[in-house]
Each structure stands twice: as structure tokens, then as C-alpha cells.
């Protein structure tokens, strides 16, 4: 990879309401700019990871935007395989292969595969080194078959990270569902009883039936809870938080280590053929986005791209907090920031937090 592009982040800004042809063209050109800096697929087609199951965002990327990505790969002479996403552990309807297929069909997305379809090929186990907390992670079959991976992320607030972007997708979103459940299992949310108004939003959000309302307050059964965090996103009063100070940094480090496994042990990672794009799209409250919270956006919409997922998330973070007095929490509504994740990723050699910012406005 060309050294001068390694930690470059390209930003293509756009108007809040315009992700149309001009923006798609800018996005495609930015991809073309970065593609010569990464490896080829080594004979196997690239796969494009798409964000179909993004909680809190009713506007996933359009089929046209996803197709622009595919076109850029073809223009760069790469062989292009399927679009794929993996089965969510959270979102209603997207925690089954059928739910994901339906979502892809509704969007008009051609050549879509469920990455970890239980009826399809088995996941591939990627071993982690002894210094890591888990011995291995399960990479979805489609991700494992890919010679290169273009990872499209819809940036969103995340209860355990603050910001969910490229690192979360690499260290969770391309993995199989059993691995995602292992990553989350140590986080046991608890209800701040005096804050709870007994509204039931968390109960409706929990697909694991781990919440009940008793005496007008929510209660969580930790035997059923998977730690998915969806209830924390659903509570408009911020009445649900992590159980201990240690579980969140531990979760963040696990995600960084899982991302490291994909970046170094997958076929695409070993080919040096990984490219990441963080999309900043509107999440209107009235449409159920933004988890019903007011969020500080300062008009930053568009896409950031990089070969370095650490630099990319850092640049996205910096853009989102630009001018925000209360930092990332003003945007996300959650107390967490992804510091342990980023620090672990840097220690593992996954990327750099300093970056060169190219604004394509
Ligand atoms: S969403 Fe929040 S306020 Fe409503 S029942 Fe759950 S914890 Fe209580
Ligand atoms: S109670 Fe547990 S399983 Fe249910 S939404 Fe909350 S974190 Fe997820």
C-alpha cells in the first residue's frame, strides 16, 4: 500500500437531503482514489458488506449508493462478488436470515447474500494470539470467501462505544451471530429504578423477553439477557446503564481484537484488500431514528473513506464533536466514548489515530 494514503481519510460532504447522483459520483470517485492503495482480491471476488440492520436508523443506504460502490470496484479492475450483511443480535426482523433477505429485497438490492446464513456454508474460525481475551472468532462464510472486502457502515450512536463505525463492523458486523453473542454476553444492563417511568419502551425493544414491568418499573432478568444493549438505546430517560465500570472497556477491547483477527487472518485481510466507508446520514426523530433523542449534528452529512479503520473512526468522531460542548455524548446520547477500543486497536497495530483529512467539497 502506498504509504502516503495509509492513514488518509477522504470526506465527501453532501446536503442532508441529497444523497443522489452527484453524491454517488463523488463517492465512486473517492473509492477509485483509494483502491489503487489496497491489494487485489488474489483471484477471489470482493464482497461488499452493507448495513441493512442498523438500529436507530430508518434510512439505510440506498441500493444506488451500494451499486456505486460495486461500480467503483469494477472500474478498478476488481472482480465483484455479493453484497452481504450478517444476522443481527438486536433488531426485530433482522435477527433471522429470512428477515435480512426480505430487507434486501425491499431495497431492491441485487445479488445479496446473508453472510452467516445457518443453512449456508459454515463460518470460518479465525484464531487470535495468546495476548487476546478470546481464542478465536467466527467470520461469516461470505466474509471468509471474499478475496477483498469493501465495508460500508452507517455511523450510529452505540450504547457501549458511543460511536458505531468501521471498527464495530469489522469486529462484530462481519462476524457470525454466535460470536456476536459471545462478544456481548458480559454486559448486563441494569435499570436505574428511580429514573424509570415504567413506560415499557425497553420491554418492546427486547427480542429476548428479558424485561418485565413490575410495580411500574422495568426489571431485567440477567439469565435471559444477552447484553445486546437495545434496551439502553430504547430508554429515552437514560434509565438503563451497564452493570459495572469494567464491562464496557472489556467489550470495547474484545471488538478491537475481533477486528484485528479479521484484518490479519481473513483472506481479504491477508490480501491487504480491505477498504472502509463511514456514511453520515440523517436519522430523523419523527421517523424513529436517533432513538427519539435530540442529537447534535452541525450539518455534517456525507461519507468518509479510508483504508485504515482506526483513522476513519477517529476522523468521524472528530467531525461529529466539532463544536459540541459535551463531546460525543452530545451526538450519541450515551456516556461512552470508544477510547479503549481505539487504544487497543493501535496497540495491536491495526491503524493510527492521527490522519490526513482530504475534504472533497
Ligand atoms: S424504557 Fe426506560 S423509563 Fe421506560 S420502562 Fe424501560 S427503563 Fe423504564
Ligand atoms: S435486557 Fe438484555 S437482551 Fe434485552 S434488550 Fe436489554 S441488553 Fe438486550
Amino acid at each position: 500500500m502506498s504509504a502516503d494514503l495509509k492513514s488518509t481519510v477522504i470526506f465527501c460532504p453532501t446536503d442532508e437531503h441529497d444523497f443522489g447522483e452527484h453524491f454517488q459520483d463523488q463517492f465512486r470517485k473517492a473509492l477509485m482514489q483509494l483502491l489503487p492503495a489496497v491489494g487485489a482480491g488474489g483471484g477471489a471476488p470482493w464482497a461488499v458488506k452493507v448495513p441493512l440492520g442498523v438500529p436507530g436508523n430508518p434510512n439505510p443506504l440506498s441500493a444506488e449508493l451500494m451499486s456505486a460502490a460495486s461500480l467503483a470496484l469494477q472500474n478498478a479492475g476488481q472482480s465483484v462478488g455479493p453484497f452481504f450483511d450478517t444476522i443481527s443480535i438486536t433488531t426485530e426482523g433482522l435477527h433471522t436470515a429470512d428477515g435480512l433477505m426480505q430487507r434486501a429485497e425491499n431495497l431492491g438490492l441485487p445479488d445479496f447474500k446473508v453472510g452467516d446464513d445457518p443453512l449456508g456454508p459454515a463460518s470460518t474460525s479465525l484464531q487470535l494470539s495468546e495476548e487476546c481475551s478470546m481464542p478465536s472468532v467466527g467470520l461469516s462464510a461470505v466474509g471468509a470467501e471474499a478475496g477483498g472486502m469493501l465495508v460500508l457502515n452507517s455511523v450510529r450512536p452505540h450504547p457501549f462505544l458511543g460511536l458505531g463505525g468501521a471498527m464495530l463492523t469489522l469486529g462484530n458486523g462481519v462476524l457470525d451471530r454466535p460470536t456476536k453473542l459471545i462478544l456481548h454476553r458480559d454486559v448486563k444492563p441494569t435499570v436505574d429504578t428511580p429514573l424509570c417511568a415504567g413506560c415499557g419502551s425497553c420491554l418492546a425493544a427486547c427480542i429476548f423477553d428479558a424485561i418485565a414491568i413490575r410495580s411500574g418499573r422495568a426489571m431485567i432478568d440477567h439469565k435471559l439477557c444477552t447484553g445486546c444493549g437495545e434496551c439502553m438505546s430504547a430508554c429515552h430517560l437514560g434509565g438503563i446503564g451497564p452493570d459495572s465500570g469494567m464491562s464496557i472497556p472489556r467489550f470495547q477491547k474484545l471488538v478491537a481484537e475481533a477486528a484485528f483477527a479479521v484484518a490479519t487472518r481473513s483472506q481479504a485481510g491477508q490480501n491487504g484488500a480491505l477498504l472502509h466507508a463511514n456514511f453520515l446520514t440523517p436519522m430523523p426523530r419523527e421517523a424513529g431514528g436517533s432513538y427519539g433523542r435530540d442529537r447534535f449534528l452541525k450539518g455534517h452529512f456525507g461519507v468518509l473513506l479510508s483504508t485504515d479503520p482506526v483513522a476513519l473512526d477517529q476522523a468521524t468522531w472528530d467531525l461529529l464533536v466539532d463544536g459540541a460542548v459535551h463531546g460525543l455524548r452530545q451526538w450519541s446520547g450515551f456516556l461512552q466514548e470508544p477510547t479503549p477500543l481505539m487504544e487497543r486497536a493501535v496497540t495491536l497495530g491495526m491503524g493510527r489515530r492521527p490522519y490526513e483529512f482530504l475534504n472533497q467539497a
Side-chain angles (χ1 to χ4, degrees):
M1 180 185 303
S2 135
D4 53 349
L5 280 175
K6 186 149 182 17
S7 292
T8 296
V9 176
I10 299 179
F11 179 42
C12 305
T14 190
D15 179 78
E16 178 177 359
H17 303 291
D18 187 6
F19 286 79
E21 277 182 29
H22 176 69
F23 175 73
Q24 289 159 25
D25 203 40
Q26 293 294 99
F27 168 53
R28 192 178 52 75
K29 284 179 181 158
L31 276 175
M32 296 285 294
Q33 215 172 320
L34 288 175
L35 274 165
V38 298
W46 281 58
V48 183
K49 165 72 175 73
V50 294
L52 297 195
V54 177
N57 186 353
N59 300 317
L61 309 185
S62 67
E64 289 77 19
L65 262 177
M66 299 187 209
S67 296
S70 185
L71 187 61
L73 286 166
Q74 286 167 23
N75 289 346
Q78 302 295 339
S79 157
V80 186
F83 296 99
F84 78 105
D85 199 356
T86 57
I87 300 174
S88 170
I89 64 163
T90 57
T91 311
E92 191 68 45
L94 296 171
H95 58 282
T96 65
D98 287 350
L100 269 182
M101 287 304 293
Q102 187 62 56
R103 184 73 172 264
E105 193 180 323
N106 293 347
L107 278 169
L109 198 57
D111 193 17
F112 176 81
K113 282 188 179 173
V114 175
D116 55 341
D117 189 337
L119 300 177
S123 306
T124 293
S125 177
L126 304 179
Q127 303 302 309
L128 282 158
S129 60
E130 281 178 7
E131 59 172 315
C132 292
S133 311
M134 293 186 300
S136 63
V137 293
L139 177 60
S140 61
V142 174
E145 283 164 8
M149 240 192 289
L150 174 57
V151 185
L152 308 185
N153 315 291
S154 182
V155 175
R156 61 187 170 99
H158 189 277
F160 309 152
L161 300 173
L163 182 151
M167 284 297 295
L168 180 65
T169 306
L170 206 58
N172 182 70
V174 302
L175 304 177
D176 61 14
R177 194 169 192 268
T179 303
K180 292 177 189 175
L181 287 166
I182 292 170
L183 288 171
H184 287 80
R185 69 182 172 194
D186 287 340
V187 184
K188 298 297 178 200
T190 52
V191 178
D192 184 339
T193 307
L195 265 182
C196 175
C199 70
S201 297
C202 55
L203 183 142
C206 180
I207 64 169
F208 300 97
D209 293 330
I211 301 181
I213 305 288
R214 299 218 178 88
S215 307
R217 299 284 186 272
M219 295 190 67
I220 297 176
D221 181 345
H222 283 160
K223 290 196 291 303
L224 297 174
C225 173
T226 62
C228 73
E230 196 74 348
C231 53
M232 292 166 65
S233 303
C235 181
H236 301 179
L237 298 176
I240 306 181
D243 55 338
S244 82
M246 292 314 295
S247 60
I248 295 297
R250 180 177 151 76
F251 170 83
Q252 292 202 14
K253 286 179 188 168
L254 286 176
V255 171
E257 290 171 3
F260 178 63
V262 177
T264 55
R265 302 285 164 91
S266 68
Q267 193 182 176
Q270 292 192 338
N271 289 335
L274 282 167
L275 198 49
H276 313 268
N278 277 355
F279 284 85
L280 295 172
T281 56
M283 300 185 187
R285 272 184 95 182
E286 62 279 8
S290 189
Y291 305 114
R293 294 185 169 105
D294 284 319
R295 289 194 301 111
F296 179 86
L297 278 170
K298 212 188 172 191
H300 289 311
F301 297 101
V303 61
L304 300 100
L305 306 98
S306 184
T307 61
D308 179 339
V310 180
L312 181 60
D313 279 358
Q314 185 65 56
T316 306
W317 183 355
D318 292 344
L319 200 64
L320 290 171
V321 302
D322 176 21
V325 178
H326 300 294
L328 195 60
R329 63 188 287 194
Q330 197 166 334
W331 170 75
S332 69
F334 298 113
L335 291 178
Q336 317 301 334
E337 294 191 334
T339 307
L341 169 93
M342 300 294 255
E343 286 176 351
R344 184 67 178 134
V346 169
T347 306
L348 290 165
M350 276 199 72
R352 299 172 66 235
R353 293 179 76 175
Y355 55 89
E356 187 192 348
F357 195 68
L358 291 183
N359 191 331
Q360 305 286 56

